Amino acid sequence: MSYDLIGIGNALVDIEGQGDDVFIENAAVTKGGMTLSSIEDQNKILVSLQSKPKKISSGGSAANTVHGASVLGAKSYYLGRVANDSNGQHYTEDMKNCGVGFSGPGSDQEGTGTCVILITPDTERTMLTNLGVSSSLHPEIVDEKIVKNARSVYVEGYLWTGDDTREAGLCMARLAKKAGIPVSFTLSDAFVVNTFKESLVNFIQGDVDILFCNEVEARAMTGEAEPIVAFKSLQARGDTLFLTLGSK
């Protein structure tokens, strides 16, 4: 089967809740950013949110993009790992209901990754992420036949936080490049850029055709304070660039 878009990334169940700036400050996390978290720390946050409504859905950076493309009519497929637990089953059902091809749960009985997302009144999202079994994504999961039958592939920057996950992303990108298929990539988070900048620069220059980032990520990547200057600096490193500016 051929696909318009194949994405690869950390498969996470999103748990969204409302919180104000004071709540974010008390949680000791960076507003608007992603913090790797333990299950215990996530649970403390969720206990504090008990009286507030929460939304649970399939998530992950690349997964959300693939999901959105599917809603817009693209035939899409997602590569990510979930466990055979209630979260993994919910994730699989949710992805299939929105028309995204997905392999389903693995053999692990627990440990599907979760992301607690705190949304403040200004609509900013702050994430506490426990990767769970999504961190065991590895290059062997990348099916060369599926990649070669795609029109485009999409890789998320969050994969750079793990050696195996990064290699899985690199594997899919290089298979696509070899087959003449466009590779799109998102920087994902300033934390990712600041921690893995040299590796990202090499990857973008060698393998990426379409780069996505936001204003904060662009500044981190280039060291430039002005968005338009950062844009021009990044534009010189690749073919196509999309730089988002939030509400602007």
Side-chain angles (χ1 to χ4, degrees):
M1 182 180 288
S2 61
Y3 293 95
D4 297 306
L5 176 66
I6 299 175
I8 187 169
N10 290 315
L12 306 170
V13 169
D14 285 345
I15 307 168
E16 298 178 16
Q18 305 289 324
D20 56 20
D21 286 350
V22 174
F23 189 95
I24 300 294
E25 186 176 340
N26 289 338
V29 292
T30 303
K31 181 179 177 181
M34 186 279 291
T35 302
L36 291 176
S37 174
S38 67
I39 290 289
E40 291 73 23
D41 286 342
Q42 282 186 333
N43 286 337
K44 288 177 185 177
I45 295 293
L46 292 173
V47 167
S48 301
L49 292 172
Q50 261 184 351
S51 61
K52 300 176 182 179
K54 291 181 281 293
K55 176 186 174 185
I56 300 176
S57 59
S58 60
S61 174
N64 289 336
T65 297
V66 169
H67 181 182
S70 181
V71 170
L72 293 171
K75 187 179 290 185
S76 55
Y77 192 92
Y78 181 63
L79 290 165
R81 291 198 68 183
V82 295
N84 191 19
D85 56 11
S86 58
N87 278 334
Q89 290 159 10
H90 174 86
Y91 191 99
T92 302
E93 192 68 23
D94 200 15
M95 293 294 275
K96 289 183 176 178
N97 285 342
C98 64
V100 175
F102 184 64
S103 62
S107 59
D108 306 87
Q109 295 301 305
E110 60 181 21
T112 295
T114 50
C115 182
V116 175
I117 303 171
L118 305 173
I119 302 174
T120 42
D122 58 1
T123 71
E124 184 64 86
R125 63 198 178 109
T126 301
M127 299 172 285
L128 291 90
T129 302
N130 181 271
L131 295 173
V133 298
S134 73
S135 65
S136 59
L137 184 72
H138 50 79
E140 287 75 20
I141 203 173
V142 181
D143 189 325
E144 185 173 356
K145 188 180 296 183
I146 291 178
V147 175
K148 286 184 174 180
N149 286 322
R151 291 182 60 197
S152 61
V153 302
Y154 185 81
V155 182
E156 68 174 57
Y158 286 126
L159 293 179
W160 261 245
T161 61
D163 292 339
D164 286 343
T165 54
R166 180 179 64 251
E167 289 304 314
L170 288 169
C171 175
M172 189 167 87
R174 287 166 183 169
L175 284 173
K177 289 292 286 186
K178 188 176 177 181
I181 297 164
V183 175
S184 50
F185 179 68
T186 173
L187 290 176
S188 293
D189 194 276
F191 159 77
V192 174
V193 175
N194 289 327
T195 310
F196 305 99
K197 190 171 182 179
E198 183 178 350
S199 174
L200 290 171
V201 168
N202 293 334
F203 176 59
I204 290 166
Q205 292 179 339
D207 298 291
V208 174
D209 300 294
I210 305 167
L211 178 65
F212 294 89
C213 62
N214 64 25
E215 188 174 353
V216 178
E217 294 154 8
R219 286 172 175 164
M221 196 70 185
T222 64
E224 301 290 350
E226 291 298 318
I228 190 63
V229 180
F231 178 88
K232 289 178 179 177
S233 175
L234 286 173
Q235 194 177 36
R237 305 182 193 185
D239 298 332
T240 304
L241 170 68
F242 292 90
L243 193 159
T244 63
L245 296 173
S247 60
K248 295 178 283 187

